[in-house]
Amino acid sequence: KNEVEQSPQNLTAQEGEFITINCSYSVGISALHWLQQHPGGGIVSLFMLSSGKKKHGRLIATINIQEKHSSLHITASHPRDSAVYICAVVPSNTGNQFYFGTGTSLTVIP
Amino acid sequence: DGGITQSPKYLFRKEGQNVTLSCEQNLNHDAMYWYRQDPGQGLRLIYYSQIVNDFQKGDIAEGYSVSREKKESFPLTVTSAQKNPTAFYLCASSIGLGYEQYFGPGTRLTVT
């Protein structure tokens, strides 16, 4: 079983397009994280959410706790946004482990 | 500069040998984690440590061992008992369990 599902698995976009990556989860959570993994393998944390919406530059993350769903949006996409985007949740019954999605591989073409 | 480092970036070993992967952080974080990443799969937790001298098994601990003798260091040993050790290994740390995690650059281990 996979507690965290992401869609799409792969995404190709033209530079400038608006991009949406979706994350659905099946457990009660205390927080949800969006991570970015660069082609070299390094991972950086983009957002930590427990409710509502957060914005950082061209990135926007939203979460709907009732529907167990989160979205990551990228406005005015750029080739440097090409990476794997990973959704991770912290279950509320344990609070000490992350459950990770398998990631969405994004390629932005100039 | 505060951060988390892993060494080496690439590691090659012969089957049957134990190998230790290094992870060091100077972020003063209490919690540290080891993950394994395989193609097409999400990150999987191997071990985690909440404080010095304490660590807990994750989902796939068989064939691995860790120690946490210092707050800054959380080395992972891949033993010969691990059936399929070739993978990308990531170390992370956080101020506490469940909080935002900071990841190291990873070590790609190849066992032949």
mmCIF file of all heavy atoms in Angstrom, chain A residues 33 37 40-41 43 45 48 90 95-98 100-102, chain B residues 35 37 40 42-43 45 48 88 90 97-101 103:
data_model
loop_
_atom_site.group_PDB
_atom_site.id
_atom_site.type_symbol
_atom_site.label_atom_id
_atom_site.label_comp_id
_atom_site.label_asym_id
_atom_site.label_seq_id
_atom_site.Cartn_x
_atom_site.Cartn_y
_atom_site.Cartn_z
ATOM 1 N N HIS A 33 4.772 18.044 3.514
ATOM 2 C CA HIS A 33 5.953 18.724 2.996
ATOM 3 C C HIS A 33 6.030 18.545 1.485
ATOM 4 O O HIS A 33 5.701 17.469 0.965
ATOM 5 C CB HIS A 33 7.221 18.137 3.612
ATOM 6 C CG HIS A 33 7.345 18.341 5.087
ATOM 7 N ND1 HIS A 33 8.239 19.222 5.637
ATOM 8 C CD2 HIS A 33 6.680 17.785 6.126
ATOM 9 C CE1 HIS A 33 8.132 19.189 6.962
ATOM 10 N NE2 HIS A 33 7.183 18.329 7.279
ATOM 11 N N GLN A 37 13.907 17.587 -5.702
ATOM 12 C CA GLN A 37 15.143 16.830 -5.868
ATOM 13 C C GLN A 37 15.750 17.171 -7.221
ATOM 14 O O GLN A 37 15.146 16.955 -8.259
ATOM 15 C CB GLN A 37 14.909 15.321 -5.771
ATOM 16 C CG GLN A 37 16.201 14.523 -5.817
ATOM 17 C CD GLN A 37 16.015 13.069 -5.460
ATOM 18 O OE1 GLN A 37 14.946 12.490 -5.663
ATOM 19 N NE2 GLN A 37 17.039 12.449 -4.910
ATOM 20 N N GLY A 40 21.153 16.005 -9.699
ATOM 21 C CA GLY A 40 22.310 15.431 -9.019
ATOM 22 C C GLY A 40 21.947 14.617 -7.787
ATOM 23 O O GLY A 40 22.805 13.918 -7.226
ATOM 24 N N GLY A 41 20.697 14.693 -7.346
ATOM 25 C CA GLY A 41 20.243 13.893 -6.225
ATOM 26 C C GLY A 41 19.939 14.670 -4.961
ATOM 27 O O GLY A 41 19.218 14.176 -4.104
ATOM 28 N N ILE A 43 18.288 17.051 -2.233
ATOM 29 C CA ILE A 43 16.886 17.369 -1.951
ATOM 30 C C ILE A 43 16.819 18.626 -1.090
ATOM 31 O O ILE A 43 17.570 18.760 -0.127
ATOM 32 C CB ILE A 43 16.204 16.206 -1.209
ATOM 33 C CG1 ILE A 43 16.088 14.980 -2.126
ATOM 34 C CG2 ILE A 43 14.815 16.620 -0.711
ATOM 35 C CD1 ILE A 43 15.478 13.752 -1.453
ATOM 36 N N SER A 45 13.910 21.278 0.880
ATOM 37 C CA SER A 45 12.528 21.415 1.327
ATOM 38 C C SER A 45 11.973 22.719 0.774
ATOM 39 O O SER A 45 12.594 23.768 0.889
ATOM 40 C CB SER A 45 12.501 21.423 2.855
ATOM 41 O OG SER A 45 11.186 21.600 3.326
ATOM 42 N N MET A 48 6.395 23.468 4.125
ATOM 43 C CA MET A 48 5.748 22.631 5.128
ATOM 44 C C MET A 48 4.376 23.251 5.390
ATOM 45 O O MET A 48 4.275 24.445 5.689
ATOM 46 C CB MET A 48 6.548 22.567 6.421
ATOM 47 C CG MET A 48 5.929 21.638 7.454
ATOM 48 S SD MET A 48 6.946 21.380 8.920
ATOM 49 C CE MET A 48 6.619 22.878 9.840
ATOM 50 N N VAL A 90 3.469 13.733 7.346
ATOM 51 C CA VAL A 90 3.794 13.290 8.701
ATOM 52 C C VAL A 90 2.498 12.789 9.328
ATOM 53 O O VAL A 90 1.600 13.588 9.615
ATOM 54 C CB VAL A 90 4.379 14.441 9.542
ATOM 55 C CG1 VAL A 90 4.772 13.924 10.923
ATOM 56 C CG2 VAL A 90 5.576 15.056 8.841
ATOM 57 N N GLY A 95 3.787 10.845 14.175
ATOM 58 C CA GLY A 95 4.475 12.124 14.247
ATOM 59 C C GLY A 95 5.976 12.049 14.116
ATOM 60 O O GLY A 95 6.665 13.052 14.257
ATOM 61 N N ASN A 96 6.495 10.841 13.903
ATOM 62 C CA ASN A 96 7.944 10.749 13.874
ATOM 63 C C ASN A 96 8.493 10.209 12.569
ATOM 64 O O ASN A 96 9.682 10.001 12.449
ATOM 65 C CB ASN A 96 8.447 9.899 15.032
ATOM 66 C CG ASN A 96 7.879 8.494 14.994
ATOM 67 O OD1 ASN A 96 7.162 8.142 14.065
ATOM 68 N ND2 ASN A 96 8.188 7.703 15.988
ATOM 69 N N GLN A 97 7.650 9.935 11.605
ATOM 70 C CA GLN A 97 8.129 9.441 10.333
ATOM 71 C C GLN A 97 7.430 10.179 9.211
ATOM 72 O O GLN A 97 6.323 10.658 9.363
ATOM 73 C CB GLN A 97 7.845 7.952 10.182
ATOM 74 C CG GLN A 97 8.709 7.059 11.033
ATOM 75 C CD GLN A 97 8.658 5.625 10.550
ATOM 76 O OE1 GLN A 97 8.570 5.378 9.349
ATOM 77 N NE2 GLN A 97 8.727 4.687 11.462
ATOM 78 N N PHE A 98 8.117 10.238 8.096
ATOM 79 C CA PHE A 98 7.528 10.795 6.896
ATOM 80 C C PHE A 98 7.097 9.634 5.996
ATOM 81 O O PHE A 98 7.816 8.648 5.871
ATOM 82 C CB PHE A 98 8.558 11.626 6.123
ATOM 83 C CG PHE A 98 8.811 12.998 6.674
ATOM 84 C CD1 PHE A 98 8.774 13.246 8.024
ATOM 85 C CD2 PHE A 98 9.126 14.041 5.824
ATOM 86 C CE1 PHE A 98 9.033 14.518 8.525
ATOM 87 C CE2 PHE A 98 9.387 15.317 6.312
ATOM 88 C CZ PHE A 98 9.336 15.552 7.659
ATOM 89 N N PHE A 100 6.543 9.121 2.030
ATOM 90 C CA PHE A 100 6.903 9.854 0.815
ATOM 91 C C PHE A 100 6.129 9.345 -0.390
ATOM 92 O O PHE A 100 5.923 8.137 -0.544
ATOM 93 C CB PHE A 100 8.393 9.677 0.516
ATOM 94 C CG PHE A 100 9.301 10.325 1.518
ATOM 95 C CD1 PHE A 100 9.682 9.642 2.660
ATOM 96 C CD2 PHE A 100 9.777 11.614 1.315
ATOM 97 C CE1 PHE A 100 10.528 10.247 3.590
ATOM 98 C CE2 PHE A 100 10.621 12.214 2.237
ATOM 99 C CZ PHE A 100 10.985 11.524 3.383
ATOM 100 N N GLY A 101 5.756 10.267 -1.277
ATOM 101 C CA GLY A 101 5.277 9.884 -2.595
ATOM 102 C C GLY A 101 6.463 9.497 -3.464
ATOM 103 O O GLY A 101 7.621 9.709 -3.102
ATOM 104 N N THR A 102 6.170 8.935 -4.625
ATOM 105 C CA THR A 102 7.234 8.492 -5.528
ATOM 106 C C THR A 102 7.785 9.624 -6.379
ATOM 107 O O THR A 102 8.758 9.436 -7.088
ATOM 108 C CB THR A 102 6.744 7.356 -6.440
ATOM 109 O OG1 THR A 102 5.577 7.796 -7.121
ATOM 110 C CG2 THR A 102 6.428 6.111 -5.637
ATOM 111 N N TYR B 35 17.793 7.388 4.704
ATOM 112 C CA TYR B 35 16.829 6.920 3.723
ATOM 113 C C TYR B 35 17.544 6.213 2.582
ATOM 114 O O TYR B 35 18.701 6.518 2.269
ATOM 115 C CB TYR B 35 16.044 8.087 3.107
ATOM 116 C CG TYR B 35 15.178 8.842 4.063
ATOM 117 C CD1 TYR B 35 15.610 10.035 4.632
ATOM 118 C CD2 TYR B 35 13.911 8.372 4.397
ATOM 119 C CE1 TYR B 35 14.804 10.745 5.505
ATOM 120 C CE2 TYR B 35 13.100 9.076 5.263
ATOM 121 C CZ TYR B 35 13.551 10.265 5.808
ATOM 122 O OH TYR B 35 12.748 10.956 6.674
ATOM 123 N N GLN B 37 16.882 5.372 -1.566
ATOM 124 C CA GLN B 37 16.060 5.714 -2.724
ATOM 125 C C GLN B 37 16.412 4.788 -3.880
ATOM 126 O O GLN B 37 17.582 4.666 -4.263
ATOM 127 C CB GLN B 37 16.272 7.167 -3.141
ATOM 128 C CG GLN B 37 15.308 7.640 -4.218
ATOM 129 C CD GLN B 37 15.482 9.104 -4.550
ATOM 130 O OE1 GLN B 37 16.588 9.617 -4.620
ATOM 131 N NE2 GLN B 37 14.367 9.813 -4.740
ATOM 132 N N GLY B 40 11.991 4.739 -9.228
ATOM 133 C CA GLY B 40 10.549 4.498 -9.274
ATOM 134 C C GLY B 40 9.901 4.307 -7.913
ATOM 135 O O GLY B 40 8.703 4.032 -7.839
ATOM 136 N N GLY B 42 9.459 5.757 -3.722
ATOM 137 C CA GLY B 42 9.647 6.862 -2.806
ATOM 138 C C GLY B 42 10.792 6.578 -1.845
ATOM 139 O O GLY B 42 11.269 5.446 -1.724
ATOM 140 N N LEU B 43 11.220 7.604 -1.148
ATOM 141 C CA LEU B 43 12.244 7.431 -0.132
ATOM 142 C C LEU B 43 11.742 6.462 0.940
ATOM 143 O O LEU B 43 10.598 6.547 1.369
ATOM 144 C CB LEU B 43 12.566 8.775 0.525
ATOM 145 C CG LEU B 43 13.255 9.801 -0.371
ATOM 146 C CD1 LEU B 43 13.247 11.163 0.303
ATOM 147 C CD2 LEU B 43 14.662 9.367 -0.671
ATOM 148 N N LEU B 45 12.592 4.806 4.785
ATOM 149 C CA LEU B 45 13.341 5.065 6.003
ATOM 150 C C LEU B 45 14.067 3.819 6.474
ATOM 151 O O LEU B 45 13.455 2.769 6.678
ATOM 152 C CB LEU B 45 12.382 5.568 7.083
ATOM 153 C CG LEU B 45 12.989 5.951 8.422
ATOM 154 C CD1 LEU B 45 13.911 7.160 8.274
ATOM 155 C CD2 LEU B 45 11.879 6.256 9.420
ATOM 156 N N TYR B 48 16.325 5.986 12.188
ATOM 157 C CA TYR B 48 16.303 7.360 12.611
ATOM 158 C C TYR B 48 16.737 7.445 14.068
ATOM 159 O O TYR B 48 16.664 6.480 14.821
ATOM 160 C CB TYR B 48 14.935 8.015 12.400
ATOM 161 C CG TYR B 48 13.803 7.466 13.232
ATOM 162 C CD1 TYR B 48 13.410 8.090 14.409
ATOM 163 C CD2 TYR B 48 13.109 6.334 12.819
ATOM 164 C CE1 TYR B 48 12.364 7.601 15.163
ATOM 165 C CE2 TYR B 48 12.067 5.831 13.568
ATOM 166 C CZ TYR B 48 11.686 6.467 14.732
ATOM 167 O OH TYR B 48 10.644 5.973 15.481
ATOM 168 N N PHE B 88 20.809 4.638 -3.842
ATOM 169 C CA PHE B 88 21.187 6.003 -3.489
ATOM 170 C C PHE B 88 20.761 6.209 -2.034
ATOM 171 O O PHE B 88 19.604 6.004 -1.687
ATOM 172 C CB PHE B 88 20.486 6.984 -4.426
ATOM 173 C CG PHE B 88 20.903 8.410 -4.268
ATOM 174 C CD1 PHE B 88 22.231 8.776 -4.391
ATOM 175 C CD2 PHE B 88 19.963 9.395 -4.014
ATOM 176 C CE1 PHE B 88 22.630 10.106 -4.271
ATOM 177 C CE2 PHE B 88 20.350 10.726 -3.885
ATOM 178 C CZ PHE B 88 21.681 11.082 -4.004
ATOM 179 N N LEU B 90 20.423 8.651 1.319
ATOM 180 C CA LEU B 90 20.300 10.043 1.739
ATOM 181 C C LEU B 90 20.210 10.125 3.244
ATOM 182 O O LEU B 90 19.464 9.376 3.886
ATOM 183 C CB LEU B 90 19.051 10.678 1.129
ATOM 184 C CG LEU B 90 19.151 11.045 -0.348
ATOM 185 C CD1 LEU B 90 17.790 11.050 -0.991
ATOM 186 C CD2 LEU B 90 19.807 12.408 -0.495
ATOM 187 N N LEU B 97 11.644 15.275 15.649
ATOM 188 C CA LEU B 97 10.915 14.348 14.782
ATOM 189 C C LEU B 97 9.678 15.040 14.203
ATOM 190 O O LEU B 97 8.946 15.717 14.914
ATOM 191 C CB LEU B 97 10.505 13.111 15.571
ATOM 192 C CG LEU B 97 11.658 12.244 16.090
ATOM 193 C CD1 LEU B 97 11.115 11.042 16.848
ATOM 194 C CD2 LEU B 97 12.565 11.793 14.966
ATOM 195 N N GLY B 98 9.458 14.853 12.891
ATOM 196 C CA GLY B 98 8.293 15.397 12.220
ATOM 197 C C GLY B 98 8.474 16.792 11.676
ATOM 198 O O GLY B 98 7.635 17.286 10.924
ATOM 199 N N TYR B 99 9.564 17.454 12.039
ATOM 200 C CA TYR B 99 9.805 18.808 11.552
ATOM 201 C C TYR B 99 10.499 18.789 10.188
ATOM 202 O O TYR B 99 10.933 17.737 9.707
ATOM 203 C CB TYR B 99 10.648 19.590 12.557
ATOM 204 C CG TYR B 99 9.883 19.988 13.793
ATOM 205 C CD1 TYR B 99 9.802 19.135 14.884
ATOM 206 C CD2 TYR B 99 9.229 21.218 13.863
ATOM 207 C CE1 TYR B 99 9.087 19.481 16.018
ATOM 208 C CE2 TYR B 99 8.517 21.572 14.999
ATOM 209 C CZ TYR B 99 8.451 20.708 16.072
ATOM 210 O OH TYR B 99 7.738 21.060 17.191
ATOM 211 N N GLU B 100 10.623 19.958 9.583
ATOM 212 C CA GLU B 100 11.272 20.087 8.285
ATOM 213 C C GLU B 100 12.639 19.426 8.323
ATOM 214 O O GLU B 100 13.424 19.647 9.237
ATOM 215 C CB GLU B 100 11.430 21.560 7.931
ATOM 216 C CG GLU B 100 12.133 21.811 6.611
ATOM 217 C CD GLU B 100 12.328 23.284 6.329
ATOM 218 O OE1 GLU B 100 12.000 24.098 7.219
ATOM 219 O OE2 GLU B 100 12.800 23.618 5.243
ATOM 220 N N GLN B 101 12.902 18.614 7.309
ATOM 221 C CA GLN B 101 14.163 17.886 7.249
ATOM 222 C C GLN B 101 15.112 18.548 6.260
ATOM 223 O O GLN B 101 14.705 18.996 5.197
ATOM 224 C CB GLN B 101 13.924 16.428 6.856
ATOM 225 C CG GLN B 101 13.147 15.652 7.914
ATOM 226 C CD GLN B 101 13.050 14.177 7.611
ATOM 227 O OE1 GLN B 101 13.736 13.650 6.744
ATOM 228 N NE2 GLN B 101 12.192 13.495 8.340
ATOM 229 N N PHE B 103 18.399 17.783 3.967
ATOM 230 C CA PHE B 103 19.009 16.596 3.387
ATOM 231 C C PHE B 103 20.459 16.842 2.991
ATOM 232 O O PHE B 103 20.836 17.936 2.561
ATOM 233 C CB PHE B 103 18.224 16.160 2.141
ATOM 234 C CG PHE B 103 16.903 15.530 2.455
ATOM 235 C CD1 PHE B 103 15.784 16.308 2.704
ATOM 236 C CD2 PHE B 103 16.779 14.148 2.509
ATOM 237 C CE1 PHE B 103 14.551 15.725 3.001
ATOM 238 C CE2 PHE B 103 15.555 13.555 2.807
ATOM 239 C CZ PHE B 103 14.445 14.343 3.055
#
